[in-house]
Amino acid sequence: MKAPQKAVDVGSLTARETTISIMLIGVLFFVFGFVTWVNAILIPYFKIACELTNFQSYLVTFAFYISYFVMSVPSSYLLKAVGFKKGMMAGFWVMAVGAFVFVPAALTRTYPIFLLGLFLIGIGLAILQTAANPYITVLGAKERAAQRISIMGVCNKAAGILAPILFAAVILRATDTDLFSQLPTMTPAEKSLALDALVRRVILPYSVIGCVLIGLGLLVRFSPLPEINTEHETAEVAAANVSKTSIVQFPHLILGALAIFLHVGTQVVAIDTIIGYAGSMGIGLLDAKVFPSYTLFATICGYILGIILIPKRISQVNIFRLCTLLGLTFTLLIIFANGRVTFLGHQADLSIWFVVLLGLANSLVWAGIWPLALDGLGRFTKVGAALLIMGLSGNAILPLIYGLLADQYGLRNAYWVLFPCYLYLAYYAFYGHRIRRWSLFTAKKALVHEQQWQGTSAP
């Protein structure tokens, strides 16, 4: 039996090895994005094909993302046992099983089986995310971590732009607008036949996705991606952590996990609800399918700014703070801005473009939280990363809350769910990430730590 690849310290990697590793992880983030953001088109698609309410349709995101809560900590132990590369291969193969589950689900038009497939895809992604995010965070200087994560974000969101458009091109037809308008007038038998034919269009694309995922698992397993030591501790970190026995002793990590929970929830609400919101303005599904891509394009613009500006022009902490303030502002404009405008060929209420701009506000929040939350964890890094990945379950909860509010108070007022989320994110960006003990502490000590973290001297 071949011996497992020995883990190496990041500092021992050559510039070429580091570059190749970043490129390979970039491919992983592209796959994450493609599989994840296709949900934006699945939600309205299943709502029609399986005859669902708003709340029921957002069970797509619940089933997909609750798997992160279930699997993230077990993923960290799996990665400890078999290493990054074998763990990533396992993640891809579990995702493949989930994709193949779509075949029997479509043949029987059974929504719970679709949800099972999405849950399994989410399980595989939880393993991959638990490996890839700490990997890219420690793969270089920590003051450039947000810059590297921004590069990964471009890969992720570029796939997200393509996914809804390509998937819609495969499963939707030019005549579907007429089909959707005729459904209410059909007899039950005619309607059942039409919806059966509609939902079976997912069989081919998800069968192809499953085969591709199996191949990607083998590719990563036998790639030159090195096994790196994510738990290396400097003498200073080791001394600081000598009495630590659990991740709950790192307040900035726990508060960061909550920040991840709320951040990803705001992100998926902005992307996965915009097609439905456009529909409320009289824009049909065939035209509205591009709106998630607009939001993701705004996110990519933010990532590019991060790559250019961090850390030469602005620190990753300060750009994180700016993004949270933009989120608060755009949320209020979604609620209160009015007026019909024509832009990019769409005639819609002005407020929908502020939903699009949430992509810009959300762009560098993830990149801001990760290095702050993992700072100084040392040997607790893998478990700490797993806790942060558990925060991705926010994608499961917040869309359901949005769906409940939308059914009760309307799609527009439901966006109020975002406001308290951005308030907390602003708290973490300005203050919460500085906390190192579960006790009262002075602002002076917190400021000293932040200045040390950014490589400056305290006054």
Side-chain angles (χ1 to χ4, degrees):
M1 181 180 292
K2 185 178 178 180
Q5 186 176 349
K6 184 179 179 181
V8 299
D9 290 332
V10 174
S12 66
L13 297 178
T14 65
R16 181 175 178 275
E17 288 173 328
T18 300
T19 301
I20 291 174
S21 298
I22 290 174
M23 291 173 63
L24 288 171
I25 297 298
V27 172
L28 295 188
F29 274 87
F30 184 89
V31 175
F32 299 166
F34 195 93
V35 175
T36 299
W37 299 116
V38 76
N39 290 342
I41 196 71
L42 283 181
I43 290 169
Y45 178 76
F46 284 151
K47 184 179 180 184
I48 294 170
C50 297
E51 302 177 278
L52 309 172
T53 65
N54 284 314
F55 175 79
Q56 290 170 332
S57 68
Y58 287 114
L59 286 173
V60 165
T61 55
F62 180 83
F64 189 84
Y65 290 110
I66 200 64
S67 56
Y68 286 92
F69 183 81
V70 173
M71 192 62 192
S72 293
V73 171
S75 295
S76 70
Y77 292 106
L78 172 67
L79 294 170
K80 278 178 181 260
V82 304
F84 279 109
K85 293 168 71 171
K86 288 184 179 178
M88 289 179 184
M89 181 180 70
F92 276 119
W93 287 1
V94 173
M95 289 173 65
V97 172
F100 290 133
V101 166
F102 269 54
V103 176
L107 291 173
T108 59
R109 193 158 60 94
T110 306
Y111 188 50
I113 300 179
F114 278 119
L115 296 181
L116 173 62
L118 288 165
F119 178 77
L120 290 172
I121 293 173
I123 288 284
L125 270 175
I127 298 171
L128 290 167
Q129 293 265 23
T130 304
N133 281 284
Y135 197 103
I136 199 66
T137 299
V138 304
L139 196 63
K142 65 181 180 181
E143 64 271 12
R144 291 185 175 271
Q147 188 181 60
R148 293 190 299 276
I149 295 173
S150 294
I151 294 171
M152 298 304 106
V154 170
C155 297
N156 183 277
K157 299 308 184 292
I161 288 175
L162 294 173
I165 295 174
L166 290 177
F167 194 74
V170 172
I171 65 171
L172 297 178
R173 309 281 186 270
T175 56
D176 282 345
T177 300
D178 294 333
L179 171 65
F180 298 154
S181 64
Q182 293 167 6
L183 285 173
T185 62
M186 291 181 179
T187 65
E190 291 172 336
K191 189 175 186 180
S192 180
L193 286 173
L195 294 179
D196 285 346
L198 177 65
V199 83
R200 287 176 185 176
R201 296 177 192 174
V202 303
I203 292 176
L204 178 60
Y206 269 88
S207 296
V208 172
I209 288 172
C211 293
V212 170
L213 290 170
I214 290 174
L216 285 171
L218 292 171
L219 178 65
V220 169
R221 172 66 182 86
F222 298 105
S223 73
L225 195 68
E227 290 284 350
I228 64 171
N229 182 5
T230 58
E231 300 181 9
H232 172 72
E233 293 184 319
T234 64
E236 182 182 358
V237 170
N241 291 347
V242 68
S243 63
K244 302 291 178 62
T245 59
S246 168
I247 57 171
V248 299
Q249 294 171 289
F250 296 91
H252 66 290
L253 170 68
I254 305 302
L255 296 174
L258 179 56
I260 289 286
F261 179 91
L262 297 175
H263 160 62
V264 297
T266 63
Q267 188 174 58
V268 81
V269 165
I271 294 169
D272 286 357
T273 67
I274 196 168
I275 291 179
Y277 192 43
S280 71
M281 301 172 189
I283 302 173
L285 178 58
L286 293 177
D287 292 323
K289 68 184 180 185
V290 297
F291 275 92
S293 298
Y294 295 153
T295 307
L296 289 164
F297 177 76
T299 305
I300 287 179
C301 290
Y303 285 138
I304 293 172
L305 286 174
I307 293 167
I308 294 170
L309 298 176
I310 298 171
K312 291 183 178 179
R313 296 284 183 263
I314 185 171
S315 72
Q316 53 195 18
V317 174
N318 285 334
I319 207 162
F320 174 24
R321 291 167 175 166
L322 176 62
C323 285
T324 62
L325 296 178
L326 286 175
L328 286 167
T329 302
F330 292 150
T331 299
L332 292 175
L333 288 170
I334 292 168
I335 304 300
F336 296 112
N338 283 296
R340 201 79 174 171
V341 297
T342 300
F343 185 59
L344 297 179
H346 305 286
Q347 189 177 52
D349 190 84
L350 176 63
S351 61
I352 198 169
W353 297 108
F354 291 112
V355 180
V356 169
L357 285 174
L358 284 177
L360 178 64
N362 287 328
S363 60
L364 295 170
V365 174
W366 176 275
I369 295 170
W370 269 86
L372 293 175
L374 291 182
D375 181 41
L377 263 61
R379 65 185 184 276
F380 296 95
T381 298
K382 276 195 177 81
V383 179
L387 183 67
L388 294 181
I389 294 298
M390 284 180 70
L392 285 165
S393 58
N395 285 328
I397 305 302
L398 262 68
L400 283 183
I401 296 174
Y402 175 89
L404 282 172
L405 293 174
D407 285 334
Q408 294 293 321
Y409 305 106
L411 295 173
R412 183 174 187 147
N413 285 327
Y415 284 108
W416 271 116
V417 71
L418 301 177
F419 194 76
C421 300
Y422 285 116
L423 276 179
Y424 177 83
L425 290 170
Y427 160 77
Y428 186 75
F430 282 90
Y431 191 74
H433 72 273
R434 305 171 182 172
I435 301 176
R436 289 299 183 272
R437 288 186 297 175
W438 294 113
S439 61
L440 295 176
F441 63 98
T442 64
K444 171 70 175 178
K445 288 181 181 177
L447 180 59
V448 167
H449 175 81
E450 180 172 331
Q451 290 171 329
Q452 290 172 341
W453 193 91
Q454 295 187 57
T456 60
S457 58

